């Protein structure tokens, strides 16, 4: 069974940075597409970034140029480096994984079968 554990969230001022981590277990990490999603109170869960098994990446327009997704195969961990944070980035951030996602659906939360518990990111103005 695939298990995911997100960590690294916290409280930061606008313009600051955070690095989120997601530890993966229960499968062959390098074969999975890994994604980051976020959900703010009263809003739907939205796509943030994803990285395919090939290493190709995808980002939401709202975070392009500020966030970077990466993976460390040896550590079975995916990261989300968040720079130039804005108050509108405040949300509960979830990591997700799936072994059979195609590029056209990697930004859809419904395409992922495995989810972590989430880590809170709060950005003050």
């Amino acid at each position: 069974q695939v298990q995911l554990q997100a960590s690294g969230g916290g409280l930061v001022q606008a313009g600051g940075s955070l690095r989120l981590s997601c530890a993966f277990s229960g499968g062959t990490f390098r074969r999975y597409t890994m994604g980051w999603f976020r959900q703010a109170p009263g809003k739907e869960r939205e796509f943030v970034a994803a990285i395919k098994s090939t290493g190709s990446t995808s980002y939401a327009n709202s975070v392009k140029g500020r966030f970077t997704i990466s993976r460390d195969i040896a550590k079975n961990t995916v990261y989300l480096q968040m720079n130039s944070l804005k108050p509108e980035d405040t949300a509960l951030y979830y990591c997700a994984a799936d072994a059979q996602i195609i590029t056209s659906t990697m930004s859809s939360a419904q395409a992922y079968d495995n989810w972590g518990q989430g880590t809170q990111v709060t950005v003050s103005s």
Side-chain angles (χ1 to χ4, degrees), residues 101-121:
I101 293 178
I102 59 176
T103 302
S104 61
T105 61
M106 64 191 303
S107 63
S108 174
Q110 296 180 337
Y112 294 80
D113 290 332
N114 308 108
W115 292 85
Q117 84 285 4
T119 184
Q120 179 67 39
V121 172

Side-chain angles (χ1 to χ4, degrees), residues 38-46 87-94 120-123:
R38 65 188 183 187
Q39 187 166 21
K43 295 186 177 181
E44 297 182 355
R45 187 169 300 187
E46 66 174 350
E88 50 262 47
D89 294 318
T90 295
L92 186 64
Y93 283 70
Y94 298 90
Q120 179 67 39
V121 172
T122 302
V123 184

Side-chain angles (χ1 to χ4, degrees), residues 2-9 20-26 29 34 36 75-79 93-97 114-119:
V2 172
Q3 293 183 317
L4 304 171
Q5 184 167 326
S7 61
L20 306 184
S21 299
C22 180
F24 175 102
S25 64
F29 181 60
M34 302 293 296
W36 286 98
K75 295 183 178 180
N76 283 11
T77 301
V78 64
Y79 303 97
Y93 283 70
Y94 298 90
C95 64
N114 308 108
W115 292 85
Q117 84 285 4
T119 184

Side-chain angles (χ1 to χ4, degrees), residues 26-68:
T28 303
F29 181 60
R30 63 181 176 82
R31 298 173 61 184
Y32 280 73
T33 293
M34 302 293 296
W36 286 98
F37 293 79
R38 65 188 183 187
Q39 187 166 21
K43 295 186 177 181
E44 297 182 355
R45 187 169 300 187
E46 66 174 350
F47 171 74
V48 177
I51 184 167
K52 295 182 62 178
S53 60
T54 60
S56 298
T57 59
S58 181
Y59 296 91
N61 288 333
S62 59
V63 306
K64 286 182 179 178
R66 300 189 298 120
F67 291 10
T68 302

